[in-house]
């Protein structure tokens, strides 16, 4: 049995999948809400504050040692993953967080997990550089009685993790496509372009499939598409080529706000402003541009950089024998998929404080 619910191609399954994702993230809020907010409530002395005496999940419990490993922070989103984990752990005195140095060397990451196993940590939160390659060592940890929380990039075997925390790549595409459909207002002649990430990655394929499926609901399709490499340089190069090849564009979706820095540079260099651009992942840079409303970038689709921190919170609950307080279920769920909302000038203030810097 695979953890990933197939969301593609069938409308009923696709949109029900998004509803499940939304419910999951609302439920997760019970254990991933700001620890600082909880502390403020406890210190305020207000009779209405959620009291630790009521058994709040944020109440200090037994000491928990958590090992964390992720790829190198070679772009803004990945850097934010580890920064958010570190910031969260500082808010909980009962978390002893052991952070391994970020690496894109699979063998080194395997060695890091083996060290965690030998050190007999209580739980391991792992964002794999390569999910398939990291599956055997994750299985080894599970067999040693150490729960593994798999973040973002799935293992080949669902038994290699007690909990899997995922973003919604397919949902990102759906959200971007739905936004284009809303903006097009029934114009089936609108020209839609797409700058994807690395085409060989399943996450890119899922984002593109979701975008295509959502556009088809309003009679649109992708008229021009090129793939970049999630870097500023590749974004600028690919965008320059696309703009040269396409004299008219109405809507452009760029999968990643880090590479979007280069995409926007190419757009400025080309002097193009006739289209609406939608970003991806939800960087602070993109959100500031949306607030300013002075260029083509009008929206971005969130791919949460809180996933690692969510994984640490779930690991803490698991080890302390707690559950997610908004659920009737007495155990932490097996899979949690976070939502992919669209950020526009109407709601950007709600998201910008938690956004990452490209």
């Amino acid at each position: 049995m695979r953890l990933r619910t197939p969301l593609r191609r069938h409308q009923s399954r696709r949109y029900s999948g998004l509803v499940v994702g939304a419910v999951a993230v609302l439920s997760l809020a019970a254990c991933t809400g700001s620890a600082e907010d909880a502390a403020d409530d406890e210190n305020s002395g207000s009779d209405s504050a959620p009291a630790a005496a009521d058994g709040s999940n944020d109440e200090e419990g037994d000491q928990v040692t958590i090992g964390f490993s992720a790829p190198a922070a070679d772009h803004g989103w990945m850097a934010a993953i580890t920064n958010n984990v570190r910031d969260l752990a500082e808010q909980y005195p009962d978390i002893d967080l052991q952070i391994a140095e970020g690496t894109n060397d699979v063998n080194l990451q395997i060695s890091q997990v083996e060290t965690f196993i030998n050190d007999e940590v209580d739980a391991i939160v792992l964002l794999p550089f390569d999910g398939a390659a990291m599956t055997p060592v994750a299985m080894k940890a599970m067999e040693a009685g150490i729960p593994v929380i798999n973040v973002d990039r799935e293992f080949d075997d669902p038994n290699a993790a007690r909990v899997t925390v995922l973003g919604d790549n397919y949902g990102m595409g759906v959200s971007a496509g739905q936004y284009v459909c809303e903006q097009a207002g029934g114009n089936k002649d609108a020209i839609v372009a797409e700058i994807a990430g690395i085409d060989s990655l399943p996450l890119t394929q899922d984002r593109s499939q979701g975008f295509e499926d959502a556009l088809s609901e309003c009679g649109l399709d992708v008229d021009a598409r090129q793939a970049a490499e999630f870097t500023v340089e590749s974004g600028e190069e690919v965008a320059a080529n696309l703009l040269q090849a396409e004299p008219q564009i109405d809507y452009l979706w760029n999968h990643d706000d880090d590479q979007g820095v280069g995409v926007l540079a190419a757009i400025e260099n080309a002097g193009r402003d006739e289209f609406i651009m939608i970003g991806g992942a939800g960087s602070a840079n993109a959100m500031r541009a949306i607030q300013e409303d002075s260029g083509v970038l009008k929206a971005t689709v969130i791919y949460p950089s809180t996933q690692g921190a969510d994984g640490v919170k779930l690991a803490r609950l698991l080890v302390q024998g707690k559950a997610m307080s908004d659920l009737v279920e007495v155990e932490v769920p097996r899979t949690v998929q976070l939502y992919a909302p669209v950020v526009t000038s109407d709601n950007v203030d709600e998201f910008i404080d938690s956004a990452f810097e490209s």
Side-chain angles (χ1 to χ4, degrees), residues 61-134:
D62 295 337
Q63 191 78 6
V64 177
T65 301
I66 300 172
F68 176 78
S69 175
D74 51 11
H75 61 289
W77 185 87
M78 191 62 76
I81 285 284
T82 299
N83 289 337
N84 286 335
V85 164
R86 185 178 290 107
D87 291 345
L88 175 78
E90 290 176 354
Q91 298 168 20
Y92 285 87
D94 56 7
I95 292 179
D96 175 17
L97 182 67
Q98 307 294 320
I99 299 182
E101 183 177 356
T103 180
N104 294 339
D105 182 333
V106 171
N107 291 327
L108 179 55
Q109 192 172 35
I110 290 172
S111 177
Q112 291 173 346
V113 176
E114 288 176 336
T115 298
F116 290 147
I117 296 170
N118 292 335
D119 289 345
E120 298 182 345
V121 299
D122 295 311
I124 297 171
V125 179
L126 179 61
L127 197 167
F129 179 71
D130 183 319
M134 296 301 295

Side-chain angles (χ1 to χ4, degrees), residues 7-352:
L7 296 173
R8 282 180 254 174
R9 303 184 188 284
H10 298 288
Q11 180 180 1
S12 62
R13 293 169 70 191
R14 177 170 75 245
Y15 291 105
S16 66
L18 291 177
V19 171
V20 169
V23 172
V25 72
L26 288 173
S27 300
L28 187 63
C31 66
T32 60
S34 169
E36 291 178 349
D37 291 344
D40 288 344
D41 289 337
E42 291 177 13
N43 294 332
S44 68
S46 169
D47 292 338
S48 63
D54 292 337
S56 165
N57 277 341
D58 283 330
E59 179 183 0
E60 185 174 351
D62 295 337
Q63 191 78 6
V64 177
T65 301
I66 300 172
F68 176 78
S69 175
D74 51 11
H75 61 289
W77 185 87
M78 191 62 76
I81 285 284
T82 299
N83 289 337
N84 286 335
V85 164
R86 185 178 290 107
D87 291 345
L88 175 78
E90 290 176 354
Q91 298 168 20
Y92 285 87
D94 56 7
I95 292 179
D96 175 17
L97 182 67
Q98 307 294 320
I99 299 182
E101 183 177 356
T103 180
N104 294 339
D105 182 333
V106 171
N107 291 327
L108 179 55
Q109 192 172 35
I110 290 172
S111 177
Q112 291 173 346
V113 176
E114 288 176 336
T115 298
F116 290 147
I117 296 170
N118 292 335
D119 289 345
E120 298 182 345
V121 299
D122 295 311
I124 297 171
V125 179
L126 179 61
L127 197 167
F129 179 71
D130 183 319
M134 296 301 295
T135 299
V137 74
M139 286 286 290
K140 182 178 178 181
M142 290 286 288
E143 290 165 359
I146 301 172
V148 175
I149 292 77
N150 179 203
V151 176
D152 188 49
R153 301 173 185 177
E154 290 180 272
F155 298 136
D156 275 357
D157 187 332
N159 295 311
R162 166 58 180 83
V163 180
T164 301
V165 181
L166 299 172
D168 190 354
N169 287 295
Y170 181 84
M172 282 184 69
V174 171
S175 293
Q178 289 177 335
Y179 178 80
V180 170
C181 286
E182 292 168 2
Q183 297 301 308
N187 176 16
K188 296 184 179 181
D189 295 323
I191 299 171
V192 181
E194 176 183 6
I195 297 179
I198 300 172
D199 257 346
S200 62
L201 295 179
L203 67 89
T204 297
Q205 297 162 17
D206 286 348
R207 291 178 187 185
S208 288
Q209 188 65 57
F211 191 51
E212 178 184 333
D213 288 350
L215 289 175
S216 69
E217 297 294 330
C218 66
L220 295 175
D221 54 22
V222 178
D223 299 286
R225 181 185 185 279
Q226 293 199 30
E229 298 177 359
F230 292 130
T231 65
V232 174
E233 295 77 14
S234 67
E236 184 169 7
E237 179 181 356
V238 165
N241 292 337
L242 185 144
L243 293 170
Q244 187 173 17
E246 302 296 328
Q248 175 64 37
I249 297 172
D250 295 305
Y251 302 97
L252 169 65
W253 181 40
N254 165 59
H255 284 206
D256 179 76
D257 287 335
D258 280 320
Q259 75 182 20
V261 174
V263 173
L264 287 169
I267 291 170
E268 183 176 355
N269 290 338
R272 299 281 291 271
D273 62 2
E274 82 278 7
F275 54 83
I276 289 176
M277 176 177 163
I278 306 97
S283 77
N285 310 57
M287 292 190 197
R288 286 191 290 267
I290 292 167
Q291 283 180 321
E292 293 168 4
D293 195 24
S294 59
V296 297
L297 185 60
K298 304 299 183 183
T300 187
V301 184
I302 296 289
Y303 191 75
S305 60
T306 59
Q307 293 177 55
D310 290 333
V312 169
K313 272 207 165 185
L314 290 169
R316 175 178 174 271
L317 295 183
L318 277 171
V319 176
Q320 293 181 346
K322 299 176 181 177
M324 292 166 63
S325 59
D326 279 355
L327 298 182
V328 177
E329 173 59 44
V330 297
E331 293 281 353
V332 172
R334 184 72 179 269
T335 306
V336 176
Q337 186 170 52
L338 307 180
Y339 189 48
V342 176
V343 177
T344 67
S345 59
D346 292 333
N347 63 356
V348 64
D349 292 341
E350 300 173 26
F351 295 94
I352 194 166

